Amino acid sequence: MSWQLFIIGLGLVGIAYLYNKNVKDIKEELVIAGIISFIWVLLSGIYSYSDANYSIFAFNFFPFIAWTTGLVALREIYEMLAKKYRFVIAVIIYTVGIIALEYVGYNILKIQLATNYAGLFGYPLMHMPWWAQLYYLAIGPMYLAITDALGVK
């Protein structure tokens, strides 16, 4: 079994757990994260991996599930933080987290795009076009701002 398939399963279990735990309703944040992730994966066209691709009609489910799960998890962490400075703290957590996950995914788990792009600032992570690197770093804070603006609790 590939690491991608394991992460897809883990993401689905995580979302199902959060959805069904009855502590808090995550429908709105899940729908918003799903829409953002769907549009990104569909329009970016960068997701073709060197080892395995779990796709239907060129739509790759691994990045879709990973992004949706990650954004929902970010929102859940954000809501656990004290109100003072929570946006700044959440952005720091997101930035460190996305860089760490990208490093582990690429260098340890060998989940790699079938491209030859340079890594972020010359480091061995985020091997994709510059605009995709910018998206990776910006979408977490943008998602928090969108869900805040829409009053998602």
Side-chain angles (χ1 to χ4, degrees):
M1 176 170 64
S2 78
W3 282 109
Q4 287 182 42
L5 195 55
F6 176 77
I7 294 168
I8 289 171
L10 189 64
L12 291 173
V13 168
I15 290 293
Y17 171 76
L18 289 173
Y19 190 84
N20 290 311
K21 73 178 188 170
N22 295 324
V23 173
K24 178 180 146 326
D25 189 0
I26 66 160
K27 287 180 196 144
E28 291 175 331
E29 64 192 68
L30 179 59
V31 167
I32 295 165
I35 290 169
I36 289 169
S37 300
F38 181 81
I39 292 169
W40 170 248
V41 172
L42 187 66
L43 296 181
S44 69
I46 64 170
Y47 293 107
S48 178
Y49 294 95
S50 58
D51 60 345
N53 289 285
Y54 300 98
S55 305
I56 295 178
F57 301 115
F59 183 82
N60 198 316
F61 286 98
F62 169 67
F64 171 70
I65 297 297
W67 274 114
T68 302
T69 304
L71 291 174
V72 169
L74 175 64
R75 181 71 197 186
E76 290 298 301
I77 291 167
Y78 176 72
E79 290 177 3
M80 288 188 271
L81 297 171
K83 297 265 188 218
K84 190 173 183 177
Y85 305 116
R86 78 175 176 170
F87 187 82
V88 173
I89 294 167
V91 169
I92 291 168
I93 291 169
Y94 172 78
T95 304
V96 170
I98 194 73
I99 289 172
L101 288 171
E102 280 292 313
Y103 182 86
V104 169
Y106 187 88
N107 295 289
I108 297 171
L109 303 180
K110 303 297 183 194
I111 300 172
Q112 301 174 353
L113 293 174
T115 62
N116 293 318
Y117 288 103
L120 182 66
F121 305 122
Y123 291 101
L125 56 118
M126 293 189 197
H127 291 80
M128 59 192 71
W130 68 268
W131 51 267
Q133 293 171 351
L134 180 62
Y135 174 87
Y136 270 50
L137 295 172
I139 195 57
M142 289 173 53
Y143 171 72
L144 292 177
I146 290 166
T147 53
D148 274 353
L150 293 175
V152 173
K153 299 286 182 211

